Amino acid sequence: MHDLLYSLVRPAIKLLDPEQAHRLAVVSLKRGLMRPTASPDDPILATSVWGLDFKNPIGLGAGFDKHAEVIDAMFGFGFGFVEAGTVTPQPQPGNSGQRLFRLDEDEGVINRFGFNSEGLGPFTERLRARRQSGAPSRGIVGANIGKNRTSEDAAADYETCLAAVAPLVDYVVVNVSSPNTPGLRGLQARAPIEALVGRVMAARDRTADAARAEPAPKRPPILLKVGPDLDDDQVRDIAEVVLETGVDGLIVGNTTVTRPPTLRSRWRDAEGGLSGRPLMGLATECLRSMYRHTGGKVPIIGCGGVSSGEDAYAKIRAGASLVQLYSALVFNGPGFAVTIKRDLAKLLRRDGFASVTAAVGADHG
């Protein structure tokens, strides 16, 4: 039903500036103009990662709900988990000018937002209100954290964000791979990421220790979100740091600064990070390499280019325990997760897998 409605209104949406269209969607969901209720999930899709029970492995990636405004509305569209953010310690407007471009001919998106954020105050206030309402039973929620553009101590920003969100979410993502914040991707080099991870993990432990007096202290898993443009040496370095420091998981990957020669849209050379269908191959190969270098010991969320159930299945077989999407919603509507789940369940059964977990890393033999 929601896909049909979206197909009817999409021509009008395409007339809007892409960022305005996105904001209109969020406001509509926030005000209850759309009240989706997805049907129960196929039992074959249920999975457990980090001791958390996911009703299905299809999640909403960071970027759609930057300010934690519509988490539960998105669960209504059938997502098994929703990741809010990226949030920064202090409010910041992000980059100026046009910052979002639809590449309709390529089913791709380029963004150059630059971590536009309302800051931790409103973000945590919404998360806290949600927990107090009893809504957490609807699904797993993650918070994606970043640094302020002008910060001279990136690790301190991540520590601040972690301390604020850790008691309120099920997992925390340390985003070190957005191409739209100057110097951020440099944190993926071995020495910087090793130092950053050490401080973030210590901050998580301090936060958990301070909460021991509470009835249910939170010690959420920490994930690193890395980009798809890493070479094999960089992947190996990050894998070794993750294994040595005890990071709980990875998200592979973020948007890419590369531009495939097959792009046809007039926006193909716009500045920013490319996502959507053109990213699928690059991101999946990086995921495959990361799974190989970690020996499958660290759960990975596969992100980047998922536009079908076949794409989600390919991520899982390459080594992803869970899968995220976002850009595909621009071209297929917010109810697209239901289609992906249906097709994924068929593919699992076709190949004789009894669960998502059984299929993880299947391509590696």
Side-chain angles (χ1 to χ4, degrees):
M1 178 63 181
H2 294 292
D3 290 343
L4 174 61
L5 177 62
Y6 186 77
S7 68
L8 295 174
V9 303
R10 190 181 173 216
I13 292 174
K14 288 178 66 175
L15 297 176
L16 297 174
D17 170 83
E19 187 171 349
Q20 291 177 336
H22 173 257
R23 188 59 201 163
L24 176 62
V26 172
V27 170
S28 298
L29 289 164
K30 190 174 180 179
R31 294 182 177 176
L33 300 181
M34 290 187 284
R35 298 181 181 276
T37 305
S39 57
D41 286 312
D42 189 317
I44 199 173
L45 297 176
T47 190
S48 181
V49 187
W50 305 299
L52 302 172
D53 294 326
F54 293 78
K55 296 176 182 178
N56 71 74
I58 307 301
L60 178 65
F64 181 88
D65 190 7
K66 284 180 174 288
H67 313 306
E69 298 173 278
V70 291
I71 291 171
D72 290 297
M74 297 314 292
F75 279 128
F77 285 113
F79 288 99
F81 62 109
V82 172
E83 190 173 306
T86 299
V87 63
T88 57
Q90 300 300 320
Q92 62 179 25
N95 294 322
S96 59
Q98 184 171 350
R99 336 188 264 193
L100 189 62
F101 307 86
R102 285 188 300 254
L103 282 64
D104 290 294
E105 301 89 338
D106 309 294
E107 292 192 32
V109 173
I110 292 175
N111 92 81
R112 51 178 299 276
F113 281 111
F115 283 175
N116 55 311
S117 174
E118 294 180 355
L120 277 171
F123 190 87
T124 54
E125 182 178 335
R126 293 179 186 121
L127 289 174
R128 190 172 293 107
R130 180 179 179 274
R131 291 190 67 83
Q132 292 170 348
S133 73
S137 61
R138 299 200 67 183
I140 304 298
V141 175
N144 188 298
I145 62 176
K147 65 178 285 291
N148 281 113
R149 187 184 188 94
T150 58
S151 176
E152 296 182 0
D153 187 348
D157 278 10
Y158 288 105
E159 289 174 311
T160 298
C161 286
L162 179 78
V165 303
L168 304 172
V169 295
D170 299 299
Y171 70 91
V172 180
V173 179
V174 178
N175 188 345
V176 293
S177 51
S178 169
N180 301 313
T181 296
L184 187 74
R185 290 189 303 153
L187 295 175
Q188 295 177 113
R190 175 145 194 163
I193 205 167
E194 203 164 22
L196 173 63
V197 166
R199 287 179 62 174
V200 168
M201 298 296 281
R204 195 265 305 267
D205 292 341
R206 289 195 302 272
T207 301
D209 288 343
R212 280 181 179 170
E214 298 180 9
K218 296 282 289 184
R219 194 175 186 275
I222 304 296
L223 285 64
L224 280 179
K225 184 168 186 175
V226 299
D229 299 325
L230 303 169
D231 62 32
D232 199 60
D233 288 341
Q234 292 172 313
V235 170
R236 185 185 62 248
D237 284 347
I238 290 173
E240 289 176 356
V241 169
V242 166
L243 291 170
E244 290 168 3
T245 59
V247 169
D248 299 286
L250 289 154
I251 299 183
V252 183
N254 212 316
T255 58
T256 178
V257 296
T258 64
R259 296 292 184 267
T262 55
L263 293 180
R264 296 173 292 158
S265 170
R266 67 190 179 105
W267 300 115
R268 61 185 178 274
D269 295 321
E271 180 185 355
L274 171 68
S275 61
R277 189 182 291 275
L279 179 56
M280 177 64 188
L282 179 66
T284 305
E285 284 309 305
C286 187
L287 160 64
R288 194 184 309 278
S289 178
M290 191 66 78
Y291 183 87
R292 184 175 65 252
H293 281 294
T294 57
K297 297 176 181 177
V298 180
I300 300 173
I301 297 178
C303 184
V306 175
S307 301
S308 66
E310 290 81 1
D311 290 343
Y313 188 47
K315 296 277 190 190
I316 291 167
R317 291 187 64 105
S321 296
L322 301 164
V323 177
Q324 285 180 331
L325 58 92
Y326 170 15
S327 296
L329 304 186
V330 174
F331 304 100
N332 299 282
F336 194 49
V338 173
T339 302
I340 289 180
K341 291 189 299 180
R342 180 196 64 209
D343 293 345
L344 174 59
K346 290 179 180 177
L347 291 166
L348 289 168
R349 289 195 170 92
R350 181 198 69 184
D351 292 346
F353 294 112
S355 66
V356 171
T357 301
V360 174
D363 287 348
H364 297 266

